[in-house]
Amino acid sequence: MARIRADKMRALLKVYFISGSTNTAETELANVLAQAIAGGVTLFQFREKGRGACSGAGKTALGKKLQAVCQKANVPFIVNDDVALALELDADGVHIGQEDGSAAEVRRKIGDRILGVSTHNVAEAKQAIADGADYLGVGPVFATSTKADTRAVCGPEFIARLREEGIHLPIVAIGGIHAKNAVEVVAGKADGLSVITAISNAADPKAAAQQLSQVWK
Ligand code: 3NM
């Protein structure tokens, strides 16, 4: 296996759904994911975080269930933060934040699997690239109440600024994105839209994913 090419990575980032049992009821999550994929989700991240999140065998079982939904539809399955679980499940990749340890160390552990790193400024972006990231997560581009400890809102134009500073790795924007403001993110030079609640809280997850993928057309 070789590292993913940038053009393939950019295509996968277009509509990137992130979720766990604290965003959608655990019993509903596989169903929501299947609907979201039917609506055009290109990549999925299992992010089991926050109060009441599953751990241990329960987390592994939920991860396996969601991975099976992804595999059926040929959508890559990324695990947030938990390298051991990603290796146990033979996931397609890992996403880490700045507080989740060294990206270089994660790269060594996961081989050629996809590595995403959340970054918030040029220095973090350059370090993530040097450490072997395949894509950068940048946010919050808009206000969000889904994650408590986010940095200040950077706005979608911040991604264009990173480009001007010579950061050419694929970038996915995150934070408060929904169908109505997604067009601003696309105009701001992001390669992809990553969302939690725009899909996990939608009355119709398939339609929500369709609306987000429509923004690229
Ligand atoms: N990371 P929603 S914002 C998981 O800024 C996450 O790095 C962020 O959820 C960052 O789409 C965020 O519901 C939450 O706003 C995104």
Side-chain angles (χ1 to χ4, degrees):
M1 205 169 90
R3 291 265 304 272
I4 189 165
R5 288 187 4 220
D7 57 341
K8 176 91 199 289
M9 191 71 248
R10 284 192 184 92
L12 290 179
L13 293 176
K14 293 285 177 259
V15 186
Y16 187 178
F17 178 39
I18 302 172
S19 208
S21 68
T22 60
N23 308 116
T24 296
E26 193 181 335
T27 49
E28 280 300 310
L29 191 47
N31 184 30
V32 166
L33 175 58
Q35 288 182 53
I37 289 173
V41 158
T42 48
L43 188 62
F44 175 69
Q45 181 189 126
F46 177 43
R47 182 177 180 274
E48 192 57 20
K49 283 207 165 160
R51 259 177 77 139
C54 302
S55 59
K59 182 178 176 185
T60 306
L62 180 57
K64 259 191 197 157
K65 189 169 162 187
L66 300 175
Q67 183 183 32
V69 174
C70 288
Q71 282 171 340
K72 208 168 143 197
N74 213 14
V75 167
F77 173 82
I78 307 290
V79 173
N80 183 289
D81 190 14
D82 191 337
V83 175
L85 179 64
L87 293 176
E88 185 184 345
L89 297 181
D90 193 17
D92 299 292
V94 171
H95 184 97
I96 59 165
Q98 291 295 316
E99 57 292 327
D100 297 331
S102 153
E105 203 175 309
V106 174
R107 168 53 75 203
R108 274 194 296 279
K109 288 181 182 160
I110 68 170
D112 286 340
R113 290 177 173 82
I114 295 168
L115 175 60
V117 181
S118 295
T119 58
H120 310 89
N121 53 52
V122 175
E124 287 178 1
K126 287 190 171 160
Q127 186 63 51
I129 294 167
D131 286 344
D134 294 307
Y135 74 88
L136 306 175
V138 173
V141 288
F142 301 112
T144 176
S145 49
T146 310
K147 186 174 190 269
D149 57 343
T150 56
R151 311 285 176 97
V153 171
C154 62
E157 62 284 355
F158 181 64
I159 292 162
R161 214 173 317 142
L162 286 176
R163 300 298 195 204
E164 282 160 20
E165 296 280 348
I167 307 296
H168 299 301
L169 206 70
I171 293 179
V172 68
I174 188 161
I177 299 171
H178 49 75
K180 291 218 167 66
N181 61 17
V183 66
E184 295 173 50
V185 183
V186 173
K189 301 235 178 344
D191 296 298
L193 310 164
S194 55
V195 304
I196 299 181
T197 49
I199 292 178
S200 72
N201 280 8
D204 183 342
K206 181 177 172 185
Q210 275 170 336
Q211 284 164 8
L212 289 167
S213 58
Q214 203 58 38
V215 177
W216 294 103
K217 304 232 163 91

